[in-house]
Short mmCIF file of all heavy atoms in Angstrom, two decimals:
data_model
loop_
_atom_site.label_atom_id
_atom_site.label_comp_id
_atom_site.label_asym_id
_atom_site.label_seq_id
_atom_site.Cartn_x
_atom_site.Cartn_y
_atom_site.Cartn_z
N SER X 1 80.09 75.21 81.12
CA SER X 1 79.22 76.39 81.17
C SER X 1 79.86 77.56 81.90
O SER X 1 79.49 78.72 81.67
CB SER X 1 77.88 76.04 81.82
OG SER X 1 78.06 75.65 83.16
N LEU X 2 80.83 77.28 82.79
CA LEU X 2 81.45 78.34 83.58
C LEU X 2 82.87 78.66 83.11
O LEU X 2 83.64 79.29 83.84
CB LEU X 2 81.49 77.93 85.06
CG LEU X 2 80.14 77.78 85.75
CD1 LEU X 2 80.31 77.19 87.14
CD2 LEU X 2 79.39 79.10 85.82
N LYS X 3 83.19 78.27 81.89
CA LYS X 3 84.56 78.48 81.41
C LYS X 3 84.92 79.96 81.30
O LYS X 3 86.10 80.32 81.31
CB LYS X 3 84.76 77.78 80.07
CG LYS X 3 83.86 78.27 78.95
CD LYS X 3 84.08 77.46 77.69
CE LYS X 3 83.16 77.92 76.56
NZ LYS X 3 83.37 77.11 75.33
N ASP X 4 83.91 80.83 81.19
CA ASP X 4 84.15 82.26 81.14
C ASP X 4 83.73 82.94 82.45
O ASP X 4 83.42 84.14 82.47
CB ASP X 4 83.37 82.89 79.98
CG ASP X 4 83.87 82.38 78.63
OD1 ASP X 4 85.09 82.20 78.49
OD2 ASP X 4 83.03 82.15 77.74
N GLY X 5 83.76 82.17 83.52
CA GLY X 5 83.37 82.69 84.83
C GLY X 5 84.41 83.62 85.41
O GLY X 5 85.43 83.94 84.78
N PRO X 6 84.20 84.07 86.65
CA PRO X 6 85.10 85.06 87.26
C PRO X 6 86.50 84.51 87.49
O PRO X 6 86.70 83.32 87.67
CB PRO X 6 84.41 85.37 88.58
CG PRO X 6 83.62 84.14 88.90
CD PRO X 6 83.13 83.64 87.58
N LEU X 7 87.46 85.43 87.48
CA LEU X 7 88.84 85.07 87.77
C LEU X 7 89.04 85.04 89.28
O LEU X 7 88.74 86.01 89.98
CB LEU X 7 89.79 86.08 87.14
CG LEU X 7 91.29 85.90 87.47
CD1 LEU X 7 91.81 84.60 86.88
CD2 LEU X 7 92.10 87.09 86.96
N PHE X 8 89.54 83.91 89.79
CA PHE X 8 89.89 83.79 91.20
C PHE X 8 91.38 84.03 91.38
O PHE X 8 92.20 83.40 90.69
CB PHE X 8 89.54 82.39 91.74
CG PHE X 8 88.07 82.13 91.86
CD1 PHE X 8 87.39 81.44 90.88
CD2 PHE X 8 87.37 82.57 92.97
CE1 PHE X 8 86.04 81.18 90.99
CE2 PHE X 8 86.01 82.33 93.09
CZ PHE X 8 85.34 81.63 92.10
N SER X 9 91.73 84.90 92.29
CA SER X 9 93.12 85.11 92.66
C SER X 9 93.37 84.35 93.97
O SER X 9 92.88 84.74 95.03
CB SER X 9 93.42 86.60 92.86
OG SER X 9 93.25 87.31 91.65
N VAL X 10 94.09 83.24 93.88
CA VAL X 10 94.39 82.43 95.06
C VAL X 10 95.62 83.05 95.73
O VAL X 10 96.69 83.14 95.14
CB VAL X 10 94.66 80.97 94.68
CG1 VAL X 10 94.95 80.14 95.93
CG2 VAL X 10 93.46 80.39 93.92
N ILE X 11 95.45 83.50 96.97
CA ILE X 11 96.47 84.23 97.70
C ILE X 11 97.20 83.27 98.64
O ILE X 11 96.58 82.67 99.51
CB ILE X 11 95.85 85.38 98.51
CG1 ILE X 11 95.02 86.29 97.59
CG2 ILE X 11 96.93 86.17 99.24
CD1 ILE X 11 95.77 86.90 96.45
N MET X 12 98.51 83.13 98.47
CA MET X 12 99.28 82.19 99.28
C MET X 12 100.52 82.86 99.88
O MET X 12 101.51 83.09 99.17
CB MET X 12 99.70 80.97 98.46
CG MET X 12 100.51 79.95 99.27
SD MET X 12 101.23 78.62 98.26
CE MET X 12 99.77 77.65 97.91
N PRO X 13 100.50 83.18 101.18
CA PRO X 13 101.72 83.61 101.85
C PRO X 13 102.57 82.38 102.18
O PRO X 13 102.03 81.36 102.63
CB PRO X 13 101.21 84.29 103.12
CG PRO X 13 99.90 83.62 103.39
CD PRO X 13 99.32 83.20 102.07
N VAL X 14 103.86 82.46 101.95
CA VAL X 14 104.73 81.29 102.13
C VAL X 14 105.88 81.64 103.06
O VAL X 14 106.61 82.62 102.83
CB VAL X 14 105.29 80.81 100.77
CG1 VAL X 14 106.35 79.72 100.98
CG2 VAL X 14 104.17 80.29 99.89
N TYR X 15 106.03 80.83 104.12
CA TYR X 15 107.21 80.98 104.97
C TYR X 15 107.69 79.61 105.44
O TYR X 15 107.06 78.96 106.27
CB TYR X 15 106.96 81.87 106.18
CG TYR X 15 108.20 81.98 107.04
CD1 TYR X 15 109.30 82.73 106.61
CD2 TYR X 15 108.30 81.31 108.25
CE1 TYR X 15 110.46 82.80 107.36
CE2 TYR X 15 109.45 81.38 109.02
CZ TYR X 15 110.52 82.13 108.56
OH TYR X 15 111.68 82.18 109.30
N ASN X 16 108.74 79.16 104.87
CA ASN X 16 109.50 77.98 105.31
C ASN X 16 108.66 76.71 105.52
O ASN X 16 108.86 75.99 106.50
CB ASN X 16 110.24 78.30 106.62
CG ASN X 16 111.56 77.56 106.69
OD1 ASN X 16 112.26 77.43 105.68
ND2 ASN X 16 111.92 77.06 107.86
N PRO X 17 107.75 76.38 104.60
CA PRO X 17 107.02 75.13 104.74
C PRO X 17 107.89 73.95 104.29
O PRO X 17 108.97 74.15 103.70
CB PRO X 17 105.85 75.31 103.78
CG PRO X 17 106.43 76.16 102.69
CD PRO X 17 107.38 77.11 103.37
N ASP X 18 107.43 72.76 104.55
CA ASP X 18 108.04 71.57 103.97
C ASP X 18 107.91 71.71 102.45
O ASP X 18 106.81 71.85 101.93
CB ASP X 18 107.31 70.33 104.46
CG ASP X 18 107.90 69.02 103.95
OD1 ASP X 18 108.36 68.99 102.78
OD2 ASP X 18 107.87 68.02 104.68
N PRO X 19 109.03 71.67 101.70
CA PRO X 19 108.94 71.86 100.25
C PRO X 19 108.00 70.86 99.57
O PRO X 19 107.35 71.21 98.57
CB PRO X 19 110.39 71.67 99.79
CG PRO X 19 111.21 72.05 100.97
CD PRO X 19 110.42 71.57 102.16
N VAL X 20 107.92 69.65 100.09
CA VAL X 20 107.03 68.64 99.50
C VAL X 20 105.57 69.07 99.67
O VAL X 20 104.76 69.00 98.73
CB VAL X 20 107.26 67.26 100.14
CG1 VAL X 20 106.22 66.26 99.64
CG2 VAL X 20 108.67 66.76 99.82
N LEU X 21 105.21 69.54 100.87
CA LEU X 21 103.84 69.98 101.12
C LEU X 21 103.52 71.23 100.31
O LEU X 21 102.39 71.40 99.82
CB LEU X 21 103.63 70.23 102.61
CG LEU X 21 103.82 69.03 103.54
CD1 LEU X 21 103.51 69.43 104.98
CD2 LEU X 21 102.95 67.86 103.12
N LEU X 22 104.49 72.11 100.16
CA LEU X 22 104.29 73.31 99.36
C LEU X 22 104.00 72.95 97.90
O LEU X 22 103.07 73.50 97.28
CB LEU X 22 105.53 74.20 99.44
CG LEU X 22 105.55 75.44 98.54
CD1 LEU X 22 104.39 76.37 98.86
CD2 LEU X 22 106.88 76.16 98.66
N ALA X 23 104.77 72.01 97.37
CA ALA X 23 104.55 71.59 95.98
C ALA X 23 103.18 70.96 95.82
O ALA X 23 102.49 71.18 94.80
CB ALA X 23 105.64 70.61 95.56
N GLU X 24 102.74 70.20 96.82
CA GLU X 24 101.41 69.58 96.74
C GLU X 24 100.31 70.64 96.81
O GLU X 24 99.28 70.53 96.12
CB GLU X 24 101.24 68.58 97.88
CG GLU X 24 102.09 67.32 97.72
CD GLU X 24 101.91 66.35 98.87
OE1 GLU X 24 101.20 66.70 99.84
OE2 GLU X 24 102.49 65.25 98.81
N ALA X 25 100.51 71.67 97.62
CA ALA X 25 99.53 72.75 97.70
C ALA X 25 99.39 73.45 96.35
O ALA X 25 98.27 73.73 95.89
CB ALA X 25 99.94 73.75 98.78
N ILE X 26 100.51 73.71 95.71
CA ILE X 26 100.49 74.35 94.39
C ILE X 26 99.80 73.46 93.37
O ILE X 26 98.98 73.92 92.57
CB ILE X 26 101.91 74.72 93.95
CG1 ILE X 26 102.49 75.80 94.86
CG2 ILE X 26 101.94 75.18 92.49
CD1 ILE X 26 103.95 76.09 94.64
#
């Protein structure tokens, strides 16, 4: 029912995280 709902822009600042944790976040 919400397939045409609002567009969410997920904002992610990135600085030197563990690459594994970064990939999981994405």
Side-chain angles (χ1 to χ4, degrees):
S1 64
L2 295 172
K3 61 183 179 181
D4 295 322
L7 175 65
F8 289 98
S9 296
V10 181
I11 306 302
M12 180 189 286
V14 172
Y15 179 72
N16 213 39
D18 182 324
V20 174
L21 298 183
L22 174 61
E24 290 179 355
I26 294 172

